[in-house]
Amino acid sequence: MSEHHGRKGASWLSLSVDLVAGIFLFLAGVAGLIATWSLPTGTVARMGAGFWPQAVSLLLCMFGVGIAALSFTRKGELFELPPLRPYAAVFGAMVLFGLLFERIGMIPTVIVTMLVAGLASIETRWVQLSILAVVLAILSAVAFVRLLGLPLPVFWWR
Amino acid sequence: MLDAFANLAGGFAVALQWQNLLFALLGAMMGTFIGVLPGLGPLTTVAILLPVTFYLEPVSSMIMLAGIYYGAQYGGSTTAILANLPGEATSVVTCIDGYQMARQGRAGSALAIAALGSCFAGIVATLVIAVAAPPLTRFAMLFGAPEYFSLMVLGLVAAIVLAQGSILRALAMVVLGLLIATIGSDPQTGLARVTFGVPQISDGISFVPVAMGLFAVPELLKNIVWPEEKVALDARVNRLWPTYEEFRLAWPAVVRGTALGSILGILPGGGALLSSFAAYAVEKKIARDPAKFGNGAVQGVAAPEAANNAGAQTSFIPLLTLGLPGNAVMAVMAGALIMKGIQPGPNVITAMPELFWGLIASMVVGNAMLLVINLPMIGLWVKLINVPYRLLYPSILVFCCLGTYMVGNSVVDIWMLLVFSALGCVLQLLKFEPAPLALSFVLGIMMEENFRRALQVSRGDFMIFINHPISAVLLASAVALLLVVILPGIKQKRKEAFQE
């Protein structure tokens, strides 16, 4: 499957995709119930803010149980964790963007984000990517700040 | 009928204003540009470019988004024909014969037929919208709260049934979308709820990070982790004009594809995808020599391309008349309108005729533009197909972040992007389709509001949904649709139809 990354993603306790999916939905429903627990439910004729979200959460739990239960009746694919590195790199890049943008400005942030994102692929060629990152950073600063006049920080000093 | 033309003329007056022409052109160009890039379908393209339109007037921004949409669709056909890479499911069928034509040295013909067919279909579909939309709007004016609730139930069910994949899982996604939609404020009192103490989301979560997180980021990771085989591309496009023989075979197929696409596009869940598959199947059935299909049959390109464009266009009908987005792209459009403070629905046509008719007229303009800009620029698009993904994906990611930030000028939106990207990736690993979630996320608040209002009117009696005849018919249709797909015999048929 992911020969590209040199190793097969680890099969996770040999659980089927359906079972994990069911558990996920159930937990999402439970989370919804917890988050809306304190809201007034009201009655059917005069619903409070909590009625609909609580009903939807319950329904979600039911779907979760249903999909998990069905997973025992048929043999489905096994759930596989993908290689971690691409996910870590892409999400890391987004986190850095959020942390840095307002602090050090657009040009350095764009460069950092692109380089960190480059860690996701083993095909990345660093010189090429660095040049592209600098060019894109300058181009977006020109387009958004100069031409469109948006009040965005370009560097940390302006 | 005459009314429709008078209205359409008014629409052209809006669409032909120079700035709107410019935005249509810009949208179509940018849509094609991004749509041609490997791994980016129309949906992802529209999601990524959504922030670009954010600072425009509502009319201009819709015109530009529509341009982006059909530009991206056209770009998808180009990659399908030249590189056997369908940008999205809608171009899958075009690959079959289009790529074969390209391999036989007829890439130019295939591209020209796809473009001409799409343009013709686009213009016809626009007329269909002009004629069909006003009566539907008047009908929708009769709707009260129970009717609206039932309509949305039917819309969501139909969108699921007509799309691919497991019904149960899609329904679960609908419910998850409804739950996420409740984040923000209570629609009746306006008080904040489920905001987790974050004041910035008390007006609800902005649609941009949701769309990008659910569609763009998981797609990008999919392409990194499980890259598609890339065909070494050596498509020299020598002659652009089809032969007389190809024309003769293509035009009836274009007409059939247009008719089919216009009808299927109106159905919720229909749109471009279903139209192109159905059109291909029909052509194969009625062809004198079915063996040619799969080996470069002209009709196999002409009909689905016409159908997907017609379907893409008429799928605006339910959105603009009933406020019901029929597919995920329309959900993004609805999201864009809502961000502008416009609730899509029957009121749009009377309250903002210039938006409604201007958008429709701009579709004709945009389709003609696509033809004029794109055929001469085919050489450039071919170069773009060859851009390596290792350079593309960091750029896409940066644009997602920049775009998300600019919509609200706030880092909170970046954290939302992060949350929804994580959700999108989890759903992808668990083999869920995010499209139904996006639909119900857009409809969620309206659905809750109408549900509550209906039951307030009836003092808690659920029979109100059945005692109102229109509502009863809508609900019955939803139930019938569900039964139809759940019953085993038809389930098999549905599978076959999608495999074909």
Side-chain angles (χ1 to χ4, degrees):
Chain A
M1 201 170 189
S2 54
E3 261 177 283
H4 184 64
H5 276 270
R7 65 186 177 86
K8 222 173 161 322
S11 184
W12 198 51
L13 297 171
S14 321
L15 297 176
S16 74
V17 172
D18 281 324
L19 182 59
V20 181
I23 295 171
F24 169 76
L25 292 177
F26 183 80
L27 292 180
V30 170
L33 279 178
I34 294 173
T36 58
W37 198 249
S38 54
L39 294 171
T41 308
T43 63
V44 177
R46 288 204 64 83
M47 282 179 224
F51 192 102
W52 174 265
Q54 285 157 7
V56 170
S57 302
L58 271 179
L59 201 57
L60 198 57
C61 288
M62 277 151 62
F63 269 102
V65 171
I67 289 175
L70 277 180
S71 76
F72 294 111
T73 65
R74 60 182 172 211
K75 239 182 130 150
E77 298 168 68
L78 291 185
F79 178 71
E80 273 186 17
L81 277 182
L84 226 65
R85 176 177 156 157
Y87 288 87
V90 166
F91 279 87
M94 286 194 279
V95 170
L96 279 176
F97 186 98
L99 289 177
L100 295 178
F101 193 86
E102 290 183 345
R103 294 198 174 87
I104 64 172
M106 184 189 275
I107 289 183
T109 306
V110 166
I111 295 174
V112 170
T113 309
M114 283 192 65
L115 291 179
V116 173
L119 290 169
S121 169
I122 49 171
E123 286 173 17
T124 299
R125 298 185 195 165
W126 291 102
V127 179
Q128 224 182 17
L129 183 64
S130 311
I131 297 169
L132 178 68
V134 172
V135 172
L136 262 187
I138 295 171
L139 277 183
S140 26
V142 170
F144 295 122
V145 181
R146 257 297 138 72
L147 298 180
L148 291 177
L150 302 179
L152 302 173
V154 179
F155 284 106
W156 52 89
W157 64 83
R158 54 174 288 176
Chain B
M1 195 72 178
L2 265 178
D3 252 17
F5 287 109
N7 286 327
L8 208 51
F12 273 108
V14 176
L16 293 176
Q17 281 165 11
W18 71 267
Q19 71 270 42
N20 287 339
L21 275 178
L22 185 72
F23 288 127
L25 178 74
L26 221 62
M29 290 272 285
M30 282 173 34
T32 318
F33 182 87
I34 308 278
V36 164
L37 297 172
L40 291 167
L43 180 59
T44 327
T45 308
V46 175
I48 292 176
L49 292 179
L50 186 55
V52 176
T53 65
F54 192 68
Y55 289 96
L56 304 177
E57 295 276 295
V59 187
S60 306
S61 91
M62 281 315 277
I63 285 178
M64 189 163 169
L65 270 179
I68 289 169
Y69 178 32
Y70 38 71
Q73 195 124 45
Y74 182 82
S77 319
T78 309
T79 46
I81 290 169
L82 292 179
N84 204 15
L85 283 176
E88 206 183 40
T90 48
S91 327
V92 167
V93 240
T94 310
C95 280
I96 306 172
D97 281 290
Y99 183 58
Q100 289 304 322
M101 283 181 76
R103 287 185 59 183
Q104 296 162 7
R106 292 150 69 204
S109 302
L111 287 168
I113 284 172
L116 289 168
S118 298
C119 183
F120 172 82
I123 292 170
V124 173
T126 306
L127 295 177
V128 172
I129 301 180
V131 174
L136 252 180
T137 311
R138 278 193 288 279
F139 181 58
M141 288 293 190
L142 303 172
F143 283 20
E147 283 83 5
Y148 262 115
F149 177 76
S150 305
L151 175 72
M152 284 183 263
V153 171
L154 174 61
L156 287 173
V157 167
I160 289 165
V161 167
L162 295 174
Q164 271 168 296
S166 149
I167 304 285
L168 187 63
R169 283 167 155 266
L171 279 175
M173 283 301 99
V174 166
V175 177
L176 184 56
L178 291 178
L179 180 59
I180 296 172
T182 62
I183 296 175
S185 57
D186 175 10
Q188 279 192 341
T189 59
L191 291 176
R193 71 174 175 190
V194 217
T195 57
F196 306 101
V198 183
Q200 284 91 337
I201 58 172
S202 57
D203 289 332
I205 298 170
S206 160
F207 192 68
V208 171
V210 175
M212 286 199 201
L214 287 180
F215 298 109
V217 175
E219 187 71 24
L220 182 140
L221 274 159
K222 192 184 94 190
N223 288 330
I224 300 173
V225 181
W226 301 283
E228 273 181 54
E229 282 298 314
K230 207 171 170 189
V231 201
L233 179 66
D234 178 37
R236 259 180 285 279
V237 186
N238 20 31
R239 44 190 302 272
L240 258 180
W241 215 239
T243 60
Y244 172 73
E245 177 61 15
E246 284 170 335
F247 252 130
R248 198 183 57 78
L249 284 171
W251 79 261
V254 166
V255 174
R256 284 190 291 267
T258 303
L260 203 60
S262 301
I263 296 165
L264 291 179
I266 302 176
L267 301 178
L273 177 65
L274 187 68
S275 309
S276 62
F277 276 82
Y280 190 78
V282 166
E283 289 305 315
K284 207 172 164 184
K285 280 252 160 65
I286 64 168
R288 224 170 284 156
D289 187 9
K292 268 207 172 147
F293 282 79
N295 293 310
V298 183
Q299 303 96 307
V301 175
E305 279 301 303
N308 82 23
N309 209 36
Q313 227 117 299
T314 52
S315 59
F316 274 96
I317 294 180
L319 176 66
L320 293 174
T321 57
L322 308 174
L324 196 68
N327 54 46
V329 177
M330 289 304 125
V332 178
M333 297 278 175
L337 277 175
I338 294 171
M339 286 197 310
K340 298 259 169 225
I342 298 167
Q343 186 63 50
N347 294 321
V348 172
I349 199 170
T350 42
M352 319 191 71
E354 76 291 344
L355 173 73
F356 183 86
W357 295 105
L359 173 61
I360 287 171
S362 85
M363 291 176 182
V364 174
V365 179
N367 273 293
M369 263 179 198
L370 271 184
L371 199 60
V372 180
I373 345 164
N374 286 328
L375 287 182
M377 287 172 71
I378 208 70
L380 173 66
W381 306 138
V382 172
K383 285 212 183 67
L384 280 176
I385 297 177
N386 281 324
V387 172
Y389 203 71
R390 60 167 194 275
L391 290 179
L392 204 51
Y393 83 83
S395 323
I396 299 170
L397 188 68
V398 159
F399 279 119
C400 285
C401 292
L402 279 174
T404 304
Y405 179 86
M406 284 188 304
V407 168
N409 262 333
S410 123
V411 180
V412 174
D413 282 337
I414 297 288
W415 306 136
M416 285 294 129
L417 175 67
L418 210 64
V419 169
F420 281 93
S421 303
L423 178 65
C425 290
V426 168
L427 295 180
Q428 188 181 57
L429 293 176
L430 296 175
K431 313 263 152 61
F432 282 113
E433 289 287 331
L437 195 165
L439 280 183
S440 65
F441 174 75
V442 167
L443 290 176
I445 283 294
M446 268 207 302
M447 221 170 151
E448 176 182 0
E449 207 179 346
N450 285 300
F451 182 70
R452 284 166 74 170
R453 223 186 288 150
L455 287 172
Q456 233 163 29
V457 171
S458 74
R459 291 166 204 279
D461 183 4
F462 282 96
M463 290 307 282
I464 188 171
F465 295 110
I466 298 171
N467 291 338
H468 284 228
I470 297 177
S471 163
V473 170
L474 292 169
L475 279 184
S477 319
V479 172
L481 262 178
L482 269 184
L483 282 181
V484 159
V485 280
I486 291 168
L487 297 179
I490 305 169
K491 202 171 173 181
Q492 195 55 40
K493 270 258 169 64
R494 177 168 172 267
K495 224 179 208 163
E496 281 165 23
F498 275 115
Q499 265 160 10
E500 214 173 299

